[in-house]
Amino acid sequence: MGSLGPNANARAVHEHEGGVSENDHHLPHKHLPPVDQELDAGALFVLKSKGSWMHCGYHLTTSIVAPPLLSLPFAFTFLGWAVGIICLVVGALVTFYSYNLLSLVLEHHAQLGRRHLRFRDMANDILGPRWGRYFVGPIQFMVCYGAVIACTLLGGQCMKAIYLLSEPNGTMKLYEFVIIFGSLMLILAQVPSFHSLRHINLISLFLCLAYSACATAGSIYIGNSSKGPEKDYSLKGDTESQIFGIFNAIAIIATTYGNGIIPEIQATIAPPVKGKMFKALCICYTVLIVTFFTVAISGYWAFGNNSEGLLLSNFLDDGKPLVPKWFILMTNLFTILQLSAVGVVYLQPTNEVLERTFADPNSKEFSTRNVIPRVISRSLSVVISTTVAAMLPFFGDINAVIGAFGFMPLDFILPVVFFNLTFKPSKRSLVFWLNVTIAVVFSALGVIAAIAAVRQIVLDAKSYRLFANV
């Protein structure tokens, strides 16, 4: 048995998944492709299919319910109460629906004996190889690597906030904190596979509940005290700014709900996968509704159109804390710890590409032949992301563009397109037209949101400086 190598086990898993049983051979017109496809090192070592639906729920929650939710009150400043809440509800409904559609398409192909472990594999099979190679693959890489850079930058900013609380006249610069956070990421990046993050992601689930509860409690406390700002919910700026502001806010909300790695997360589930992803999404969206809505509503209620890009910034007024210092320190600590987990989750597609390129699928996972290239390549990818985060402290503006160009297609448009092409629902059916409507509306929103995000970069470009201490 030992001489068969790791691919033999992979084939066994895939045959079990594919449902190619003896009973299937008498079914008419069921042409199944050969199941014993060789798996590359990326699929074999990074995307191991060993997890339960609970583990999958932890991965999903970490990838979606992340610290960018603390910018939801800021998005409300462009939308106002009614439109803001409608956008939040629509975002939740559309993403829950589209992630489920994506999961159904993945299950369908798995039952045909072709289990897709990556987004670009789906695109290759459903849309054609060029779509996978030149569109879905690069966009997903850009979104995921952009998320890693954004997490590193945000982690550095939270560390700097803690430092300034204890040393108001301290001389340490933002890029120094970014490098410290990058060092933590360097260690976590060496976790071998997506599945082995399951315990980290369970802790991450509790951390996101913790800092969301702190953000909500802090907002309510300040909103009820005389220290807080005067509540003003009117929209700021002239008509042009307000219109672009609406689309900027939609890009922020879409990015907050964005995932971009549903197939890779579903790939961690042990076969058979049928029905498991729906239960995992239910865990994720229970946490999501509790956190997103409480933070967005309490934050906007307390600070109105003075809500900052990161809600925790509102807890300080000219450097003076409006809540006890220990409370700000605790909230920032929870946020920093979860950011490290989110960053590592979004490193997985990069790790998978690196593993596929440099590892040997016929050697053992922890053989010297595979460990040395793994440590070097992953460390280099973290060093590059940390350097970019330190150099570009205005990366938040760039991330809005990535959100519009990346999360919109991957999470709102492609799932409904894949479903219609795979299951071919009748053109008279409600599902067909609902999917077409979602694809058209979110394509238009994506283009306009991208224009609004680029405009914001042009407006802010005057203040951009490399390694700026913001």
Side-chain angles (χ1 to χ4, degrees):
M1 288 294 285
S3 64
L4 291 173
N7 265 318
N9 296 335
R11 281 199 296 276
V13 166
H14 274 236
E15 278 166 28
H16 179 56
E17 180 58 63
V20 190
S21 67
E22 289 166 18
N23 302 334
D24 283 338
H25 292 300
H26 68 272
L27 293 175
H29 312 303
K30 191 165 183 178
H31 302 297
L32 296 180
V35 185
D36 59 340
Q37 54 202 29
E38 291 285 317
L39 287 184
D40 58 57
L44 210 54
F45 300 145
V46 178
L47 303 175
K48 290 178 183 169
S49 304
K50 286 183 171 180
S52 67
W53 64 268
M54 290 283 281
H55 299 149
C56 189
Y58 308 155
H59 300 321
L60 280 168
T61 307
T62 301
S63 62
I64 301 175
V65 187
L69 72 90
L70 297 172
S71 59
L72 287 173
F74 175 67
F76 272 42
T77 63
F78 299 107
L79 301 169
W81 275 118
V83 181
I85 289 172
I86 288 168
C87 284
L88 263 193
V89 172
V90 168
L93 291 174
V94 172
T95 50
F96 186 75
Y97 173 71
S98 65
Y99 295 157
N100 270 303
L101 291 192
L102 210 49
S103 167
L104 289 172
V105 173
L106 286 162
E107 284 178 15
H108 174 75
H109 284 284
Q111 285 171 333
L112 292 180
R114 293 192 306 270
R115 185 172 183 186
H116 295 144
L117 301 178
R118 293 166 282 231
F119 221 131
R120 63 178 181 279
D121 295 347
M122 288 185 81
N124 280 346
D125 208 11
I126 298 168
L127 300 173
R130 285 187 176 175
W131 280 91
R133 184 174 301 156
Y134 301 114
F135 181 71
V136 173
I139 279 186
Q140 188 192 33
F141 179 79
M142 180 180 76
V143 161
C144 293
Y145 205 63
V148 174
I149 297 168
C151 286
T152 310
L153 176 59
L154 198 50
Q157 287 170 337
C158 290
M159 283 182 172
K160 186 184 167 196
I162 291 176
Y163 170 72
L164 288 177
L165 268 181
S166 52
E167 289 282 334
N169 301 316
T171 55
M172 282 183 77
K173 304 281 190 286
L174 174 64
Y175 66 82
E176 296 174 71
F177 294 103
V178 168
I179 292 166
I180 295 168
F181 187 86
S183 309
L184 170 63
M185 289 285 293
L186 198 60
I187 298 162
L188 287 172
Q190 308 308 331
V191 174
S193 68
F194 209 150
H195 176 64
S196 42
L197 291 174
R198 62 195 181 283
H199 303 304
I200 293 174
N201 288 345
L202 172 61
I203 296 166
S204 158
L205 187 151
F206 288 113
L207 285 170
C208 71
L209 288 169
Y211 66 69
S212 298
C214 290
T216 304
S219 298
I220 292 169
Y221 173 80
I222 295 168
N224 280 326
S225 74
S226 55
K227 302 179 205 167
E230 215 173 293
K231 297 183 180 68
D232 179 5
Y233 304 115
S234 60
L235 303 181
K236 287 187 194 168
D238 55 18
T239 312
E240 184 197 343
S241 300
Q242 286 181 10
I243 290 169
F244 277 109
I246 289 169
F247 290 109
N248 222 349
I250 288 170
I252 291 169
I253 291 172
T255 307
T256 311
Y257 277 110
N259 178 289
I261 50 175
I262 291 285
E264 284 80 359
I265 290 175
Q266 186 153 333
T268 64
I269 301 180
V273 293
K274 196 161 179 61
K276 291 180 181 174
M277 194 65 167
F278 177 74
K279 290 192 277 189
L281 278 164
C282 288
I283 293 180
C284 171
Y285 272 74
T286 304
V287 176
L288 181 147
I289 288 164
V290 168
T291 52
F292 281 29
F293 284 82
T294 53
V295 169
I297 291 167
S298 64
Y300 187 56
W301 169 77
F303 304 107
N305 59 19
N306 291 313
S307 299
E308 300 269 355
L310 190 68
L311 180 61
L312 304 184
S313 308
N314 280 109
F315 290 3
L316 296 167
D317 182 23
D318 286 334
K320 291 196 270 312
L322 300 175
V323 289
K325 271 189 185 181
W326 62 265
F327 186 83
I328 296 180
L329 187 125
M330 179 177 72
T331 311
N332 273 300
L333 190 63
F334 290 150
T335 309
I336 290 164
L337 289 171
Q338 205 227 356
L339 275 165
S340 62
V342 176
V344 176
V345 163
Y346 279 104
L347 261 179
Q348 295 311 305
T350 311
N351 288 349
E352 183 271 319
V353 170
L354 294 171
E355 203 88 3
R356 194 177 79 241
T357 311
F358 299 114
D360 174 15
N362 297 314
S363 300
K364 290 199 167 131
E365 184 180 3
F366 297 109
S367 62
T368 314
R369 160 69 186 84
N370 284 337
V371 168
I372 293 172
R374 179 181 303 136
V375 171
I376 294 171
S377 60
R378 290 185 182 191
S379 301
L380 263 176
S381 84
V382 172
V383 167
I384 293 166
S385 65
T386 306
T387 308
V388 173
M391 275 175 63
L392 310 176
F394 44 84
F395 191 76
D397 284 359
I398 299 169
N399 226 26
V401 180
I402 292 175
F405 276 120
F407 283 121
M408 285 286 195
L410 292 179
D411 295 325
F412 294 87
I413 302 162
L414 283 175
V416 295
V417 172
F418 284 173
F419 184 88
N420 277 7
L421 290 174
T422 301
F423 292 103
K424 299 185 173 57
S426 158
K427 288 184 181 169
R428 292 185 188 152
S429 67
L430 178 65
V431 171
F432 177 84
W433 286 107
L434 176 63
N435 290 352
V436 169
T437 307
I438 289 172
V440 170
V441 168
F442 283 93
S443 297
L445 280 178
V447 170
I448 300 166
I451 294 166
V454 170
R455 172 182 174 271
Q456 196 60 42
I457 286 180
V458 172
L459 290 178
D460 293 348
K462 294 186 285 294
S463 62
Y464 290 168
R465 286 192 326 283
L466 293 183
F467 295 102
N469 184 35
V470 289

PDB file of all heavy atoms in Angstrom, residues 47-63:
ATOM      1  N   LEU A  47      -5.757  21.899   0.439  1.00  0.00           N
ATOM      2  CA  LEU A  47      -7.226  21.768   0.435  1.00  0.00           C
ATOM      3  C   LEU A  47      -7.652  20.340   0.800  1.00  0.00           C
ATOM      4  O   LEU A  47      -8.393  19.701   0.072  1.00  0.00           O
ATOM      5  CB  LEU A  47      -7.778  22.162  -0.945  1.00  0.00           C
ATOM      6  CG  LEU A  47      -7.415  23.570  -1.424  1.00  0.00           C
ATOM      7  CD1 LEU A  47      -7.908  23.804  -2.846  1.00  0.00           C
ATOM      8  CD2 LEU A  47      -7.995  24.645  -0.498  1.00  0.00           C
ATOM      9  N   LYS A  48      -7.173  19.841   1.923  1.00  0.00           N
ATOM     10  CA  LYS A  48      -7.521  18.478   2.339  1.00  0.00           C
ATOM     11  C   LYS A  48      -9.005  18.384   2.663  1.00  0.00           C
ATOM     12  O   LYS A  48      -9.536  19.240   3.377  1.00  0.00           O
ATOM     13  CB  LYS A  48      -6.746  18.116   3.608  1.00  0.00           C
ATOM     14  CG  LYS A  48      -5.275  17.938   3.407  1.00  0.00           C
ATOM     15  CD  LYS A  48      -4.646  17.637   4.761  1.00  0.00           C
ATOM     16  CE  LYS A  48      -3.157  17.508   4.634  1.00  0.00           C
ATOM     17  NZ  LYS A  48      -2.515  17.470   5.929  1.00  0.00           N
ATOM     18  N   SER A  49      -9.664  17.331   2.168  1.00  0.00           N
ATOM     19  CA  SER A  49     -11.106  17.163   2.415  1.00  0.00           C
ATOM     20  C   SER A  49     -11.317  16.267   3.631  1.00  0.00           C
ATOM     21  O   SER A  49     -11.617  15.087   3.500  1.00  0.00           O
ATOM     22  CB  SER A  49     -11.772  16.560   1.177  1.00  0.00           C
ATOM     23  OG  SER A  49     -11.509  17.356   0.058  1.00  0.00           O
ATOM     24  N   LYS A  50     -11.164  16.856   4.824  1.00  0.00           N
ATOM     25  CA  LYS A  50     -11.268  16.056   6.047  1.00  0.00           C
ATOM     26  C   LYS A  50     -12.252  16.632   7.053  1.00  0.00           C
ATOM     27  O   LYS A  50     -12.490  16.030   8.093  1.00  0.00           O
ATOM     28  CB  LYS A  50      -9.893  16.001   6.738  1.00  0.00           C
ATOM     29  CG  LYS A  50      -8.863  15.115   6.065  1.00  0.00           C
ATOM     30  CD  LYS A  50      -7.609  15.132   6.906  1.00  0.00           C
ATOM     31  CE  LYS A  50      -6.600  14.107   6.425  1.00  0.00           C
ATOM     32  NZ  LYS A  50      -5.390  14.149   7.265  1.00  0.00           N
ATOM     33  N   GLY A  51     -12.777  17.842   6.810  1.00  0.00           N
ATOM     34  CA  GLY A  51     -13.535  18.559   7.841  1.00  0.00           C
ATOM     35  C   GLY A  51     -15.006  18.189   7.895  1.00  0.00           C
ATOM     36  O   GLY A  51     -15.560  17.594   6.976  1.00  0.00           O
ATOM     37  N   SER A  52     -15.663  18.585   8.993  1.00  0.00           N
ATOM     38  CA  SER A  52     -17.107  18.412   9.141  1.00  0.00           C
ATOM     39  C   SER A  52     -17.793  19.720   8.741  1.00  0.00           C
ATOM     40  O   SER A  52     -17.127  20.726   8.486  1.00  0.00           O
ATOM     41  CB  SER A  52     -17.438  18.095  10.605  1.00  0.00           C
ATOM     42  OG  SER A  52     -17.159  19.240  11.407  1.00  0.00           O
ATOM     43  N   TRP A  53     -19.125  19.711   8.726  1.00  0.00           N
ATOM     44  CA  TRP A  53     -19.846  20.948   8.370  1.00  0.00           C
ATOM     45  C   TRP A  53     -19.643  22.015   9.440  1.00  0.00           C
ATOM     46  O   TRP A  53     -19.666  23.214   9.148  1.00  0.00           O
ATOM     47  CB  TRP A  53     -21.327  20.676   8.109  1.00  0.00           C
ATOM     48  CG  TRP A  53     -22.103  20.181   9.301  1.00  0.00           C
ATOM     49  CD1 TRP A  53     -22.315  18.880   9.657  1.00  0.00           C
ATOM     50  CD2 TRP A  53     -22.790  20.970  10.282  1.00  0.00           C
ATOM     51  NE1 TRP A  53     -23.069  18.818  10.807  1.00  0.00           N
ATOM     52  CE2 TRP A  53     -23.382  20.084  11.199  1.00  0.00           C
ATOM     53  CE3 TRP A  53     -22.965  22.336  10.461  1.00  0.00           C
ATOM     54  CZ2 TRP A  53     -24.133  20.511  12.300  1.00  0.00           C
ATOM     55  CZ3 TRP A  53     -23.715  22.779  11.553  1.00  0.00           C
ATOM     56  CH2 TRP A  53     -24.288  21.863  12.450  1.00  0.00           C
ATOM     57  N   MET A  54     -19.397  21.602  10.698  1.00  0.00           N
ATOM     58  CA  MET A  54     -19.130  22.585  11.765  1.00  0.00           C
ATOM     59  C   MET A  54     -17.820  23.328  11.474  1.00  0.00           C
ATOM     60  O   MET A  54     -17.755  24.554  11.570  1.00  0.00           O
ATOM     61  CB  MET A  54     -18.996  21.875  13.125  1.00  0.00           C
ATOM     62  CG  MET A  54     -20.274  21.298  13.660  1.00  0.00           C
ATOM     63  SD  MET A  54     -21.363  22.550  14.351  1.00  0.00           S
ATOM     64  CE  MET A  54     -20.617  22.822  15.937  1.00  0.00           C
ATOM     65  N   HIS A  55     -16.782  22.557  11.093  1.00  0.00           N
ATOM     66  CA  HIS A  55     -15.497  23.189  10.763  1.00  0.00           C
ATOM     67  C   HIS A  55     -15.682  24.178   9.618  1.00  0.00           C
ATOM     68  O   HIS A  55     -15.108  25.274   9.614  1.00  0.00           O
ATOM     69  CB  HIS A  55     -14.458  22.134  10.355  1.00  0.00           C
ATOM     70  CG  HIS A  55     -14.166  21.129  11.430  1.00  0.00           C
ATOM     71  ND1 HIS A  55     -13.814  19.830  11.161  1.00  0.00           N
ATOM     72  CD2 HIS A  55     -14.189  21.245  12.778  1.00  0.00           C
ATOM     73  CE1 HIS A  55     -13.628  19.184  12.309  1.00  0.00           C
ATOM     74  NE2 HIS A  55     -13.851  20.019  13.292  1.00  0.00           N
ATOM     75  N   CYS A  56     -16.476  23.750   8.644  1.00  0.00           N
ATOM     76  CA  CYS A  56     -16.748  24.598   7.480  1.00  0.00           C
ATOM     77  C   CYS A  56     -17.423  25.902   7.918  1.00  0.00           C
ATOM     78  O   CYS A  56     -17.120  26.988   7.409  1.00  0.00           O
ATOM     79  CB  CYS A  56     -17.634  23.805   6.527  1.00  0.00           C
ATOM     80  SG  CYS A  56     -17.845  24.586   4.970  1.00  0.00           S
ATOM     81  N   GLY A  57     -18.334  25.791   8.885  1.00  0.00           N
ATOM     82  CA  GLY A  57     -19.003  26.976   9.439  1.00  0.00           C
ATOM     83  C   GLY A  57     -18.017  27.940  10.073  1.00  0.00           C
ATOM     84  O   GLY A  57     -18.131  29.159   9.936  1.00  0.00           O
ATOM     85  N   TYR A  58     -16.991  27.387  10.767  1.00  0.00           N
ATOM     86  CA  TYR A  58     -15.976  28.258  11.388  1.00  0.00           C
ATOM     87  C   TYR A  58     -15.181  28.993  10.303  1.00  0.00           C
ATOM     88  O   TYR A  58     -14.896  30.190  10.437  1.00  0.00           O
ATOM     89  CB  TYR A  58     -14.977  27.458  12.250  1.00  0.00           C
ATOM     90  CG  TYR A  58     -15.578  26.535  13.284  1.00  0.00           C
ATOM     91  CD1 TYR A  58     -14.872  25.416  13.734  1.00  0.00           C
ATOM     92  CD2 TYR A  58     -16.843  26.772  13.827  1.00  0.00           C
ATOM     93  CE1 TYR A  58     -15.399  24.548  14.683  1.00  0.00           C
ATOM     94  CE2 TYR A  58     -17.382  25.904  14.773  1.00  0.00           C
ATOM     95  CZ  TYR A  58     -16.661  24.792  15.193  1.00  0.00           C
ATOM     96  OH  TYR A  58     -17.189  23.937  16.114  1.00  0.00           O
ATOM     97  N   HIS A  59     -14.802  28.248   9.241  1.00  0.00           N
ATOM     98  CA  HIS A  59     -14.030  28.883   8.146  1.00  0.00           C
ATOM     99  C   HIS A  59     -14.850  30.006   7.503  1.00  0.00           C
ATOM    100  O   HIS A  59     -14.336  31.088   7.229  1.00  0.00           O
ATOM    101  CB  HIS A  59     -13.671  27.863   7.058  1.00  0.00           C
ATOM    102  CG  HIS A  59     -12.831  26.710   7.529  1.00  0.00           C
ATOM    103  ND1 HIS A  59     -11.816  26.852   8.449  1.00  0.00           N
ATOM    104  CD2 HIS A  59     -12.851  25.392   7.196  1.00  0.00           C
ATOM    105  CE1 HIS A  59     -11.252  25.664   8.663  1.00  0.00           C
ATOM    106  NE2 HIS A  59     -11.867  24.772   7.921  1.00  0.00           N
ATOM    107  N   LEU A  60     -16.131  29.704   7.238  1.00  0.00           N
ATOM    108  CA  LEU A  60     -17.004  30.703   6.596  1.00  0.00           C
ATOM    109  C   LEU A  60     -17.143  31.946   7.460  1.00  0.00           C
ATOM    110  O   LEU A  60     -17.072  33.082   6.968  1.00  0.00           O
ATOM    111  CB  LEU A  60     -18.396  30.106   6.355  1.00  0.00           C
ATOM    112  CG  LEU A  60     -18.565  29.202   5.145  1.00  0.00           C
ATOM    113  CD1 LEU A  60     -19.897  28.471   5.217  1.00  0.00           C
ATOM    114  CD2 LEU A  60     -18.503  30.007   3.852  1.00  0.00           C
ATOM    115  N   THR A  61     -17.358  31.732   8.767  1.00  0.00           N
ATOM    116  CA  THR A  61     -17.563  32.873   9.668  1.00  0.00           C
ATOM    117  C   THR A  61     -16.315  33.749   9.711  1.00  0.00           C
ATOM    118  O   THR A  61     -16.409  34.977   9.637  1.00  0.00           O
ATOM    119  CB  THR A  61     -17.915  32.368  11.083  1.00  0.00           C
ATOM    120  OG1 THR A  61     -19.013  31.467  10.983  1.00  0.00           O
ATOM    121  CG2 THR A  61     -18.307  33.518  11.991  1.00  0.00           C
ATOM    122  N   THR A  62     -15.140  33.116   9.787  1.00  0.00           N
ATOM    123  CA  THR A  62     -13.896  33.902   9.833  1.00  0.00           C
ATOM    124  C   THR A  62     -13.703  34.700   8.550  1.00  0.00           C
ATOM    125  O   THR A  62     -13.241  35.841   8.586  1.00  0.00           O
ATOM    126  CB  THR A  62     -12.686  32.971  10.063  1.00  0.00           C
ATOM    127  OG1 THR A  62     -12.894  32.267  11.293  1.00  0.00           O
ATOM    128  CG2 THR A  62     -11.387  33.738  10.142  1.00  0.00           C
ATOM    129  N   SER A  63     -14.075  34.096   7.400  1.00  0.00           N
ATOM    130  CA  SER A  63     -13.825  34.780   6.128  1.00  0.00           C
ATOM    131  C   SER A  63     -14.822  35.912   5.856  1.00  0.00           C
ATOM    132  O   SER A  63     -14.521  36.835   5.107  1.00  0.00           O
ATOM    133  CB  SER A  63     -13.856  33.769   4.974  1.00  0.00           C
ATOM    134  OG  SER A  63     -15.124  33.168   4.894  1.00  0.00           O
TER     135      SER A  63
END
